[in-house]
Structures are given as structure tokens and as C-alpha cells.
Amino acid sequence: NDPALGPDGSVYVTDSLTDSLFKLATDGTFGLWLKDERLLSPNGAVVYGDSIYVASWGTTVGTTVKSMLEAKPNGKLVRVKLSDKSIEVLSKGPVGNLDGIEPDGKGNFYISDWVSGNIFLISAAGSLLAKYEMAKILGIKSTKGLADIEYMEGKKEIWAPMMIDGKVLVFSVS
């Protein structure tokens, strides 16, 4: 579902339907790196420091995209240490159907919710710091389909691709 570049050049890839992370190593080998229900249907991923931070869709959603789209909004922020693959669910409660994840440059993460169209700012410890209700901010009816966001730290902008609408929305978080 989402790739994340590791410090050694390896690429980690999430598989939401199998609670798995795969790894494409620098020597070209590709295979299962970690499979665990505690990944909670991993969707977005980013390597930050010594860990992969995962924006999860929620509890194991099944084996089809249909079952994923019908899942309750109970995704969480999850951390996987690169050194030993230890898993820590950071969010204390459910956040949403999480999709994209981007570090804010201050140790926190912007995380998009595909179903609600909201963006959350969550600390590396799992605390909700802010909720951006995108439809209200942008003055539009719906932001459902908000996918993998990009945070431009220098400009303090979030670029938000809207899968259903075929648009990319840009807004300031300064």
C-alpha cells in the first residue's frame, strides 16, 4: 500500500490486507519482513529515526478491498523498531481509517484519514495534538478519499491528493 525508505536504502512496503511489512533490500531481494496482527492493517508508513511509523487502517480488515472499505474507523499510530522489529501501538484510542503519514520536522506526524477526509497531528508518543477537518477548512462538501499526503516543511504546506475527486488540495499549517 505505501513504501517507506529506510536509512540504508531499503524500501519497506505495507500490505494492509495481510498485516504485513515487506522489505526490498539494497541487493534487490524482496520478501516478507514482518507479519503481525498488532500492525492493525498497516497503510501509511514512514521511517523516522530508528523506527518505521505506521498509520494503520484498523483491526485486521480481511482479505479484500471491499472488507477494508467497510472497516470501522479504528486505526492507530504504530511504531516498529528497525533493530528488533518490536511493535508498539502508540495511540491510546482509535483515530480513524488512517492512510498517509508524514513527519512534521518536530517529532510529530501528520496523518490522513481516507474515509473522514481529516488530517491529524499526532505526537510520536501517540497523543492527538490537532485535528484538521479538511472539508470545513477548504469550504467543500466532502474530503472523503484523502490519500497519502505530502508535508512540505519549508513551506509549511500539506499537499492532499483526493482519490475520489481526482484533485490535489494544498493548504497551509503555519
Side-chain angles (χ1 to χ4, degrees):
N1 196 319
D2 195 22
L5 184 61
D8 67 348
S10 295
V11 178
Y12 298 87
V13 182
T14 62
D15 183 343
S16 304
L17 300 178
T18 65
D19 292 324
S20 301
L21 286 169
F22 289 83
K23 180 180 178 179
L24 174 60
T26 56
D27 66 3
T29 58
F30 182 76
L32 181 65
W33 185 72
L34 177 64
K35 180 177 175 61
D36 194 297
E37 288 181 356
R38 292 175 295 165
L39 292 174
L40 303 170
S41 296
N43 195 325
V46 66
V47 174
Y48 188 78
D50 65 351
S51 301
I52 301 173
Y53 287 83
V54 174
S56 73
W57 192 265
T59 54
T60 302
V61 295
T63 58
T64 67
V65 173
K66 182 177 188 270
S67 64
M68 186 175 177
L69 293 174
E70 293 172 349
K72 293 181 180 177
N74 59 1
K76 299 179 180 180
L77 177 61
V78 178
R79 180 177 61 210
V80 179
K81 290 216 174 179
L82 290 167
S83 60
D84 63 5
K85 301 180 187 179
S86 61
I87 299 170
E88 182 179 5
V89 177
L90 299 173
S91 303
K92 305 306 178 225
V95 179
N97 298 107
L98 305 182
D99 196 317
I101 180 170
E102 284 285 312
D104 74 347
K106 300 175 186 172
N108 309 305
F109 300 93
Y110 289 109
I111 303 176
S112 62
D113 181 328
W114 195 92
V115 173
S116 74
N118 295 325
I119 294 177
F120 305 99
L121 180 61
I122 299 177
S123 74
S127 299
L128 179 63
L129 303 174
K131 176 181 176 183
Y132 300 92
E133 295 183 43
M134 297 302 296
K136 286 182 183 178
I137 290 169
L138 299 168
I140 58 179
K141 184 177 178 180
S142 172
T143 50
K144 183 175 182 173
L146 175 58
D148 292 318
I149 57 175
E150 181 68 31
Y151 176 60
M152 306 293 208
E153 187 176 352
K155 293 182 175 188
K156 304 287 189 237
E157 291 177 341
I158 291 179
W159 289 53
M162 308 305 298
M163 286 180 65
I164 294 173
D165 298 331
K167 298 178 182 177
V168 176
L169 305 176
V170 179
F171 76 100
S172 174
V173 292
S174 58

